[in-house]
Amino acid sequence: MTTRELLFVSLASLLLGGAPATAQEVTGALGSPSATTSVQGVQLPPPDPKFGGIIKQDALKSKPWWPPRIAPPEGAPNVLLIITDDAGFGVPSTFGGVIPTPTMDRVANAGLRYNRVFSTALCSPTRAALITGRNHHSVGFGVISEQSTGFPGYNSIIPRDKATIGRILLDNGYATSWFGKDHNTPAFAASQAGPFDQWPTGMGFEYFYGFVGGDANQWEPNLFRNTTQIYPFKDKPPGSWNLVTAMADDAIDWMTRMHQTDPSKPLFIKYAPGATHAPHHPTKEWVDKISAMHLFDDGYNKVRERIFENQKRLGIIPANSELAPWPNGTLKPWDQLSDEEKKLFIRQVDVFAAYAAYNDHEIGRVIQTFEDLGKLDNTLIIYINGDNGTSAEGGPLGTPNEVAFFNGVTVPVDEQMKWYDVWGTEQTYNHMSAGWSWAFDTPFDWFKQNASRLGGTNQNMVVSWPKRIKDKGALREQFVHVIDVVPTLLEVAGIHAPEMVDGIKQMPVEGTSFAYTFDAENAKTPTRHTTQYFEMMGQWALYKDGWFLSTKVNRAPWEAFGPANPDPLNNQVLQLYNLNEDFTQTNDIAAKNPDKVEEMKQEFIDEARKYQIFPMDASVAARIVAPRPNITAGRTEFVYTRPMVGLPQGDSPFLLNTSFVVTADIDIPDQGAEGMMLTSGGRFAGYGFYLLKGKPVWVWNLLNMERVKWEGEDTLTPGAHKVEFEFTYDGLGPGTLSFNNFSGVGRPGTGVLKVDGKAVDTKQMQKTLPMILQWDESFDVGSDTLTGVNDADYKPPFPFTGKLNKLTIKIDRPHLTAEDIKKLQGAMKAAADGPVSQNLTIVQRLEERFDKREDCRKQADAQNLGPIERLRFVRDCLQKD
């Protein structure tokens, strides 16, 4: 056959017990080297075809027959799936924002805008849903991998019965790739020990260039090509290499190589830049460009109002939309800030905006390459702005170091000003004031993490496909969730969701295709995705036919270190909205519709049972240090006999909240030695054990704000030595977190540095890091990769120039006694029964009374209290009556 013809194989489908099969398409003469075929798709990988030639005893009388190469159905488009990070509805200019995003504008003007696109409210849960077409709990990502726990909905392991879109398209003849952020590899499977089945290359993405985890230093990332760590920035001058540009370069190189090798093979690219997740790391060129525009000089309140008016003017939101009042009790209004706060906050947001604009520009280079290669007409571009709402994890003040947030530390403004001139450079791991985050979620309220508020979940999206979408520049208002992307891609490519993958029966895709919205005649067609649950860390909601039941926010994202709600299903204030009439979720009608509230709560429970939401857990920081099945689990001794670098935090010995001893058996040559023996973390939090000018040093880097240093007075003489650091921890350890109690973590301890058994320096630490080191840095033996823990002493890689015979780590983790457990159980019960308990219905009544007390309300507003602190103030104020 020389033309494409259809071969109907319904009989095979019926034999497999499925529905009548899709027709297979063949090009060329079957058996010839040029023949291709699409596959039925019921089973992946497809079974090998039966040999169609002739075999005799000699080749001259035989007829060769080549199995046809697999190709997608005719007309299957290239796909560029873009998802940015931590960006709310009001960020891009395309949807009324003040930050210029001309690439997103270009895609929108060539295709469609969508204003009701929903995420899960958090990074890796959204991304897991995006690549599987299933709800995030269904695929083990109820929270981010770094918070995973041992329940099916929360273990961060994508089950084998839910194959990714990468795997499906790969086995149907696509070239598949993934660039940027991979937040779907379990933190406990991210080392070179593997397993690699949950890495992009193990989930159907043939090529991966990016970082593993939630965030990355864009100047010196923990970067991989496939599963090999690479250092393309090494020896580059500071500020001259940036991952945002580098990943665009690599994507352009990959797609060009694929095109030049086989121009007929369609491409699937998942493009997931780290922008605009903290740290905000744009180039100086972009910071200067944005700063010169003075977009934010009049503050976040005015910017929010300006974005809201832009959105109405553009018709992106209904003209009758309401803007929720500014949360005075949570975030100071701009006019109440000091001059120093205003100066700092403007610098913070200029850098954030530069990061967003820079990222959009680099995305534009990738899209332009599709056009330059002649592929744009048949390329489906899906550009999703944000995997959740804008992040408020910098807190009300912002921070020069995001790692501080994850350890419960707020950096005062005067301390932050020390980094003003280098904000966004390699010297910071920066985040901005949550006031800007609230503004960038306009027209909604609240933030990333808040699954019950649209500010946490209502994203926006633009889609273009010149060959198919002709209603250029139009708006679509149908409900779309990230789980709908997979079925949409399968529909437009003419590919069935498989019934079997690697012999494993597949669970149904849970999303609903939105391909119907591509056609102008369906512009006002009712949404086909009619029901959707939301849940994140105990905050939850249910959408059904325009109705939206949601829990009242009871925790700001930066309030992650207090006791968690012990009963997040029932211990809630429930709110009800009609989103068909109330686009911005501002008019709570729960009191008028109690029956509807109860009906929808039961429906949420049904969804929760169906999609593995139970057991619900409202804890946040406590889950960061939960035990996981990593390669260190259960081990108390670790031995290293040669240099080794690149072991990620999730798979390395954990030295926080515990006693430990590190012993280095070394030989010093005649000329002396220096260099790193052991380090974990980097510039923004970590520890190091090294020789400096021949003298032993142990240093704890406490969030780049303080360094506690032990140092020997004498240079080590040539020959054999045993250098030891012993740390005795004074707390009960992370076991207290199981009782909703943080008293066991971050406690004091005493360190002793020893040389050949003799103590040479002893110091007590009054505070220790309670939760994490710097996530994107590794555990290294014999040298230091990426950033160093003490810039004043050395510059990486700082290799050890002596001989490291053996390095041993022994860990003595605290264990709770029966008496400890009894006390913790009593404290947990008392907290649950106390006056500031989690009985939020009572709290709501208190707040209603409190709002009538103008004197108390003004006092609370003036103190910039968070929700929990505000509740305590409510209680104390009313008790005076």
Side-chain angles (χ1 to χ4, degrees):
M1 286 173 280
T2 57
T3 60
R4 190 174 290 258
E5 65 176 12
L6 301 180
L7 300 175
F8 294 95
V9 287
S10 298
L11 179 59
S13 177
L14 292 173
L15 290 174
L16 289 171
T22 303
Q24 289 180 273
E25 300 176 4
V26 176
T27 64
L30 279 175
S32 71
S34 63
T36 70
T37 181
S38 65
V39 297
Q40 184 184 351
V42 173
Q43 175 184 331
L44 297 179
D48 292 331
K50 183 179 179 181
F51 179 73
I54 299 173
I55 297 178
K56 299 294 184 180
Q57 290 184 347
D58 59 88
L60 291 177
K61 296 178 181 178
S62 302
K63 180 180 179 181
W65 191 92
W66 289 97
R69 288 179 292 112
I70 294 173
E74 184 176 16
N78 304 294
V79 177
L80 176 59
L81 175 58
I82 304 161
I83 185 163
T84 64
D85 208 334
D86 285 7
F89 195 98
V91 167
S93 60
T94 316
F95 288 84
V98 298
I99 302 173
T101 51
T103 298
M104 196 177 201
D105 293 345
R106 173 188 178 180
V107 177
N109 293 335
L112 302 168
R113 291 172 170 85
Y114 290 76
N115 69 356
R116 278 300 199 205
V117 177
F118 286 84
S119 68
T120 69
L122 203 61
C123 302
S124 49
T126 292
R127 295 160 188 271
L130 179 71
I131 62 174
T132 63
R134 280 88 168 186
N135 286 297
H136 56 302
H137 292 87
S138 292
V139 288
F141 273 92
V143 286
I144 59 174
S145 177
E146 294 87 346
Q147 294 175 304
S148 59
T149 55
F151 298 102
Y154 301 90
N155 61 19
S156 74
I157 301 171
I158 296 177
R160 293 177 181 172
D161 62 358
K162 299 177 179 71
T164 73
I165 185 63
R167 176 63 194 277
I168 298 170
L169 293 184
L170 173 66
D171 281 4
N172 277 276
Y174 271 78
T176 60
S177 61
W178 181 333
F179 295 89
K181 177 172 176 174
D182 164 26
H183 206 184
N184 294 120
T185 295
F188 48 83
S191 77
Q192 292 305 291
F196 296 108
D197 59 317
Q198 298 271 315
W199 285 59
T201 52
M203 294 191 289
F205 297 85
E206 291 179 296
Y207 181 80
F208 171 58
Y209 177 94
F211 60 93
V212 178
D215 55 25
N217 181 334
Q218 300 295 297
W219 305 110
E220 296 180 85
N222 194 24
L223 189 64
F224 290 86
R225 176 172 282 118
N226 299 322
T227 60
T228 301
Q229 195 164 13
I230 58 174
Y231 304 90
F233 44 82
K234 187 178 180 181
D235 300 325
K236 299 282 197 306
S240 64
W241 186 98
N242 190 291
L243 180 56
V244 176
T245 294
M247 65 177 278
D249 289 344
D250 209 79
I252 290 168
D253 175 72
W254 179 83
M255 60 195 290
T256 302
R257 283 188 287 113
M258 293 301 102
H259 174 75
Q260 291 177 171
T261 303
D262 183 0
S264 68
K265 193 170 190 175
L267 309 178
F268 171 58
I269 298 175
K270 184 195 177 193
Y271 196 83
T276 46
H277 196 291
H280 304 151
H281 280 170
T283 62
K284 184 178 185 301
E285 170 195 1
W286 281 95
V287 175
D288 291 344
K289 185 181 297 187
I290 293 295
S291 296
M293 298 173 71
H294 297 282
L295 298 173
F296 307 104
D297 288 0
D298 52 358
Y300 39 60
N301 294 86
K302 294 294 185 182
V303 168
R304 182 180 185 236
E305 293 169 3
R306 192 181 315 138
I307 293 172
F308 188 59
E309 292 306 315
N310 288 346
Q311 291 167 341
K312 286 187 173 183
R313 175 177 52 81
L314 291 171
I316 297 301
I317 66 174
N320 65 350
S321 297
E322 298 180 27
L323 188 62
W326 185 261
N328 292 331
T330 302
L331 295 168
K332 278 187 185 178
W334 187 259
D335 60 11
Q336 293 182 17
L337 299 178
S338 68
D339 290 342
E340 188 175 52
E341 287 174 323
K342 290 178 180 178
K343 180 180 179 180
L344 174 65
F345 291 1
I346 290 172
R347 179 67 171 172
Q348 292 173 352
V349 73
D350 276 350
V351 171
F352 171 86
Y355 197 25
Y358 170 37
N359 181 53
D360 180 82
H361 171 79
E362 295 297 325
I363 291 171
R365 293 177 53 227
V366 176
I367 292 174
Q368 184 59 44
T369 302
F370 274 100
E371 183 169 11
D372 295 342
L373 295 175
K375 290 178 173 290
L376 189 61
D377 185 60
N378 195 32
T379 295
L380 171 62
I381 299 173
I382 299 177
Y383 185 162
I384 302 172
N385 170 62
D387 54 1
N388 40 243
T390 315
S391 171
E393 290 161 359
L397 302 181
T399 181
N401 183 1
E402 186 205 25
V403 187
F405 159 74
F406 290 107
N407 282 289
V409 174
T410 298
V411 184
V413 168
D414 59 345
E415 182 74 15
Q416 293 193 51
M417 289 298 290
K418 297 176 182 178
W419 285 278
Y420 180 88
D421 292 330
V422 294
W423 203 269
T425 71
E426 72 281 356
Q427 296 299 315
T428 62
Y429 215 82
N430 50 306
H431 208 319
M432 64 186 173
S433 163
W436 296 116
S437 308
W438 192 282
F440 287 134
D441 288 343
T442 304
F444 311 115
D445 58 18
W446 290 97
F447 316 99
K448 170 187 177 179
Q449 294 190 28
N450 297 125
S452 61
R453 301 301 299 181
L454 300 188
T457 60
N458 198 151
Q459 315 303 137
N460 45 47
M461 174 178 75
V462 294
V463 177
S464 70
W465 183 11
K467 183 177 179 180
R468 165 80 180 272
I469 297 174
K470 306 301 181 182
D471 194 14
K472 295 182 179 180
L475 177 68
R476 295 294 185 263
E477 300 177 87
Q478 287 90 347
F479 183 102
V480 174
H481 191 274
V482 287
I483 62 173
D484 298 337
V485 170
V486 165
T488 302
L489 297 182
L490 295 179
E491 180 179 343
V492 300
I495 294 171
H496 269 276
E499 296 177 15
M500 302 284 288
V501 175
D502 295 331
I504 297 172
K505 181 176 176 58
Q506 296 294 290
M507 297 299 291
V509 170
E510 294 162 6
T512 304
S513 171
F514 58 86
Y516 69 97
T517 66
F518 293 174
D519 302 318
E521 57 266 30
N522 292 329
K524 299 299 182 182
T525 296
T527 182
R528 295 178 182 175
H529 189 144
T530 58
T531 303
Q532 180 62 47
Y533 81 86
F534 299 85
E535 192 278 335
M536 191 59 61
M537 294 178 287
Q539 299 181 63
W540 54 268
L542 181 74
Y543 170 90
K544 185 168 185 180
D545 297 323
W547 290 96
F548 196 72
L549 179 72
S550 60
T551 57
K552 185 177 181 179
V553 174
N554 53 32
R555 179 189 64 82
W558 56 88
E559 293 173 328
F561 293 84
N565 185 344
D567 184 8
L569 176 63
N570 301 302
N571 222 358
Q572 301 278 11
V573 174
L574 298 181
Q575 300 174 322
L576 182 67
Y577 302 89
N578 182 351
L579 298 185
N580 293 325
E581 300 174 358
D582 177 15
F583 185 85
T584 55
Q585 191 189 10
T586 52
N587 297 306
D588 178 13
I589 54 176
K592 299 177 182 178
N593 298 273
D595 293 343
K596 190 69 174 178
V597 169
E598 288 304 314
E599 172 194 331
M600 292 191 69
K601 180 181 178 181
Q602 185 56 53
E603 289 175 338
F604 172 81
I605 293 172
D606 294 342
E607 295 289 287
R609 290 180 177 137
K610 181 178 180 181
Y611 295 116
Q612 303 186 154
I613 299 174
F614 295 139
M616 290 178 69
D617 185 349
S619 64
V620 185
R623 279 193 270 188
I624 293 175
V625 291
R628 297 183 182 89
N630 66 15
I631 56 179
T632 70
R635 294 175 62 187
T636 59
E637 183 173 349
F638 304 83
V639 178
Y640 307 91
T641 57
R642 60 182 299 169
M644 181 184 77
V645 298
L647 191 63
Q649 298 296 326
D651 268 336
S652 63
F654 192 66
L655 302 188
L656 302 186
N657 308 308
T658 188
S659 298
F660 63 88
V661 179
V662 178
T663 305
D665 292 307
I666 59 176
D667 283 328
I668 304 298
D670 291 342
Q671 66 272 27
E674 68 173 3
M676 186 62 68
M677 296 179 290
L678 171 68
T679 183
S680 190
R683 177 176 293 133
F684 304 101
Y687 58 82
F689 193 22
Y690 51 93
L691 298 189
L692 181 65
K693 297 179 181 178
K695 299 178 181 180
V697 174
W698 179 283
V699 64
W700 270 110
N701 172 2
L702 302 181
L703 306 173
N704 203 27
M705 298 172 63
E706 179 184 359
R707 284 170 175 80
V708 183
K709 186 175 181 180
W710 291 257
E711 186 170 9
E713 293 183 357
D714 300 324
T715 301
L716 296 185
T717 58
H721 291 280
K722 179 180 290 187
V723 185
E724 186 174 85
F725 183 74
E726 180 179 358
F727 189 79
T728 303
Y729 181 65
D730 295 338
L732 293 176
T736 65
L737 298 173
S738 299
F739 300 90
N740 220 357
N741 189 305
F742 281 77
S743 66
V745 299
R747 306 303 295 171
T750 301
V752 181
L753 180 64
K754 299 178 181 179
V755 176
D756 299 326
K758 179 182 176 182
V760 297
D761 198 5
T762 301
K763 282 187 175 69
Q764 184 181 36
M765 292 179 67
Q766 295 303 318
K767 52 189 175 184
T768 58
L769 294 173
M771 294 295 166
I772 66 164
L773 304 181
Q774 188 178 341
W775 266 337
D776 68 333
E777 293 270 354
S778 59
F779 175 96
D780 302 326
V781 176
S783 66
D784 190 355
T785 56
L786 306 182
T787 66
V789 295
N790 194 0
D791 292 337
D793 280 357
Y794 70 92
K795 293 186 182 301
F798 199 44
F800 183 61
T801 57
K803 182 182 179 184
L804 182 63
N805 299 310
K806 183 168 69 171
L807 186 137
T808 305
I809 300 174
K810 294 183 178 180
I811 299 176
D812 183 13
R813 298 182 179 90
H815 295 283
L816 299 178
T817 66
E819 184 61 28
D820 292 331
I821 292 172
K822 183 177 179 181
K823 289 179 180 178
L824 289 164
Q825 288 174 335
M828 182 168 63
K829 184 178 186 305
D833 295 338
V836 192
S837 71
Q838 298 295 335
N839 191 332
L840 298 177
T841 303
I842 295 176
V843 168
Q844 184 182 41
R845 293 171 185 164
L846 287 173
E847 284 190 309
E848 290 171 354
R849 291 173 56 197
F850 176 62
D851 286 340
K852 298 176 182 178
R853 287 287 301 273
E854 186 175 358
D855 56 334
C856 291
R857 188 173 67 251
K858 287 182 177 180
Q859 291 178 47
D861 292 348
Q863 295 181 50
N864 192 28
L865 300 173
I868 301 300
E869 287 81 3
R870 187 177 177 87
L871 293 181
R872 294 191 179 101
F873 194 95
V874 168
R875 176 198 64 186
D876 295 342
C877 178
L878 293 175
Q879 284 179 346
K880 296 176 184 178
D881 292 345

